[in-house]
């Protein structure tokens, strides 16, 4: 019998290469589809994806072309690494349900992408012998290919037992990110910090844009964009010591005028409430950091009435 040598002996399926894994994605939301594509780009083989809605199926076809859409039990059966990218409130039920049905495998890597949780939520999988990791990318996702480039500047919070922490860190590096270790007990504060920075920035931007449109500014983004970008860059680079504006100057009259105008305007009440509460917090932090005197702070706080 003639044996024909493999003309491409080094070209194996990704999951057959040293250190390459068969990856299952549950589910194809914006985060799951993008991270699945990043893992495939690092040489891992995505063996299946769970996608229910039309949007998630379309996203899977775009970012994970050729990957079969499967039910959760089949994905768990095929996968060496399971990426759980389900909503926070659904995560515990998905894990416990799969564990009760006996779908997790000993030695299987089970990773979730929730910012809220560490690995405790994966305890049912761990009890079944799986290796559990929590990996959260600190960025917003569009679910488009542009997100893959943005991962290169993204920090990932990683939480895992010490013996397997290097696995989580290595996977983050493979996806192009920077691993930042966050302890189990600190995940809640970590997630609150990100929500405060990202979600509330969106609210402030919307409110400021509404104020400008109300006085006839047709393109608020052109007015706010350079200012907000410079403020963010300065704050991240130098901290609150670079704070500018009427509070940092101790300009009580200007702050009082702002409050009066917002009270008299036809803007939604949440605009004035947000301004007053943020101004109070800013005044207190400016005082704590020596930017204004206690007399100035007291005068500013006095005019910032609810």
């Amino acid at each position: 019998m003639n044996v024909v040598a493999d003309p491409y002996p080094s070209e194996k399926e990704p999951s057959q290469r040293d250190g390459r894994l068969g990856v299952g994605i549950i589910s194809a939301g914006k985060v799951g589809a993008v991270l699945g594509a990043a893992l495939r780009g690092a040489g891992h083989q995505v063996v299946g994806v769970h996608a229910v809605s039309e949007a998630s199926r379309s996203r899977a076809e775009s970012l994970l072309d050729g990957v079969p859409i499967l039910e959760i039990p089949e994905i768990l059966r095929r996968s060496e690494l399971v990426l759980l990218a389900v909503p926070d409130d659904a995560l515990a039920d998905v894990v416990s349900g799969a564990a009760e049905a006996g779908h997790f495998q000993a030695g299987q890597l089970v990773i979730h992408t929730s910012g809220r949780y560490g690995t405790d939520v994966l305890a049912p999988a761990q009890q079944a012998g799986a290796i559990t990791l929590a990996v959260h990318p600190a960025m917003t996702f569009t679910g488009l290919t542009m997100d893959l480039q943005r991962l290169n500047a993204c920090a990932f919070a990683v939480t895992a037992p010490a013996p397997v922490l290097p696995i989580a860190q290595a996977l983050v590096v493979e996806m192009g990110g920077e691993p930042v270790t966050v302890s189990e007990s600190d995940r809640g504060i970590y997630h609150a910090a990100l929500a405060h920075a990202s979600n509330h920035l969106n609210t402030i931007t919307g409110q400021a844009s509404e104020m400008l449109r109300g006085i006839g500014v047709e393109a608020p983004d052109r007015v706010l964009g350079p200012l907000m970008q410079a403020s963010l860059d300065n704050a991240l680079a130098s901290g609150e010591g670079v704070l500018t504006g009427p509070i940092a100057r101790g300009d009580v009259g200007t702050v009082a005028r702002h409050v009066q105008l917002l009270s008299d305007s036809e803007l939604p009440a949440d605009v004035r409430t947000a301004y007053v509460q943020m101004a109070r917090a800013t005044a207190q932090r400016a005082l704590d950091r020596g930017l204004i005197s206690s007399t100035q702070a007291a005068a500013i706080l006095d005019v910032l009435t609810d």
Side-chain angles (χ1 to χ4, degrees), residues 13 38 40 42 54 90 117 141 153 174 223-224 251-252 291 303:
E13 289 297 315
R40 185 160 72 168
E54 187 63 32
Y117 295 108
F141 284 75
E174 284 192 327
V223 176
L224 295 173
D251 193 342
V252 181
L291 300 177
V303 302

Side-chain angles (χ1 to χ4, degrees), residues 259-281:
V259 174
Q260 178 188 353
L261 290 171
L262 292 175
S263 299
D264 296 340
S265 75
E266 296 181 357
L267 288 165
D270 68 284
V271 176
R272 180 186 183 280
T273 299
Y275 178 94
V276 168
Q277 293 301 323
M278 288 303 301
R280 290 180 66 88

Side-chain angles (χ1 to χ4, degrees), residues 91-126:
L91 179 59
D93 288 342
V94 170
V95 175
S96 61
E100 290 171 6
H103 294 312
F104 290 116
Q105 306 170 46
Q108 191 174 47
L109 291 170
V110 178
I111 304 175
H112 76 70
T113 62
S114 168
R116 172 181 171 186
Y117 295 108
T119 56
D120 283 355
V121 72
L122 299 176
Q126 191 274 333

Side-chain angles (χ1 to χ4, degrees), residues 15 43 57 74-75 132 150 155 163 169 178 180 218 227 232 254 302:
S15 61
R57 286 174 174 266
E74 181 62 15
I75 290 174
T132 56
R150 295 172 63 212
Q169 294 169 327
E178 177 185 353
V180 177
E218 295 182 356
L227 172 67
L232 177 61
T254 297
D302 187 56

Side-chain angles (χ1 to χ4, degrees), residues 137-142 147 150 198-199:
M139 69 176 245
T140 57
F141 284 75
T142 65
D147 291 341
R150 295 172 63 212
S198 178
N199 303 155

Side-chain angles (χ1 to χ4, degrees), residues 11-299:
E11 293 186 9
K12 301 179 181 179
E13 289 297 315
S15 61
Q16 295 176 321
R17 299 182 195 143
D18 292 342
R20 301 302 88 188
L21 301 167
V23 179
I25 309 296
I26 307 171
S27 60
K30 295 176 182 178
V31 177
V34 170
L35 295 189
L39 288 168
R40 185 160 72 168
H44 300 287
Q45 181 184 20
V46 181
V47 297
V49 58
H50 183 64
V52 177
S53 69
E54 187 63 32
S56 63
R57 286 174 174 266
S58 176
R59 196 176 296 116
E61 291 173 2
S62 174
L63 287 167
L64 299 169
D65 181 45
V67 174
I69 295 175
L70 304 172
E71 294 301 316
I72 291 176
E74 181 62 15
I75 290 174
L76 292 172
R77 187 187 70 80
R78 294 187 180 195
S79 303
E80 298 162 292
L81 184 159
V82 180
L83 186 70
L84 296 168
V86 300
D88 289 1
D89 288 347
L91 179 59
D93 288 342
V94 170
V95 175
S96 61
E100 290 171 6
H103 294 312
F104 290 116
Q105 306 170 46
Q108 191 174 47
L109 291 170
V110 178
I111 304 175
H112 76 70
T113 62
S114 168
R116 172 181 171 186
Y117 295 108
T119 56
D120 283 355
V121 72
L122 299 176
Q126 191 274 333
Q127 291 164 6
I131 298 169
T132 56
L133 315 168
V135 174
H136 176 257
M139 69 176 245
T140 57
F141 284 75
T142 65
L144 303 174
T145 55
M146 69 177 70
D147 291 341
L148 293 170
Q149 285 75 43
R150 295 172 63 212
L151 287 177
N152 292 323
C154 178
F156 284 66
V158 294
T159 303
V164 295
L165 183 62
I167 298 175
Q169 294 169 327
L171 288 168
V172 168
V173 171
E174 284 192 327
M175 288 186 283
E178 177 185 353
V180 177
T181 303
V182 178
S183 69
E184 183 80 30
S185 61
D186 290 335
R187 288 289 288 213
I189 292 296
Y190 158 80
H191 195 228
L194 267 60
H196 187 40
S198 178
N199 303 155
H200 297 168
L201 177 63
N202 187 282
T203 300
I204 290 170
T205 304
Q207 290 175 335
S209 296
E210 188 172 10
M211 294 164 71
L212 291 175
R213 280 193 295 269
I215 61 171
V217 177
E218 295 182 356
D221 58 307
R222 296 178 61 183
V223 176
L224 295 173
L227 172 67
M228 294 183 72
Q229 187 62 60
S231 296
L232 177 61
D233 291 344
N234 288 338
L236 292 175
S238 304
E240 293 165 285
V242 296
L243 178 68
T244 62
I247 290 177
R249 296 191 296 269
D251 193 342
V252 181
T254 297
V255 176
R257 179 61 173 162
H258 289 173
V259 174
Q260 178 188 353
L261 290 171
L262 292 175
S263 299
D264 296 340
S265 75
E266 296 181 357
L267 288 165
D270 68 284
V271 176
R272 180 186 183 280
T273 299
Y275 178 94
V276 168
Q277 293 301 323
M278 288 303 301
R280 290 180 66 88
T282 302
Q284 185 61 57
R285 295 179 75 85
L287 172 63
D288 294 344
R289 285 150 183 77
L291 300 177
I292 57 176
S293 68
S294 57
T295 300
Q296 290 172 313

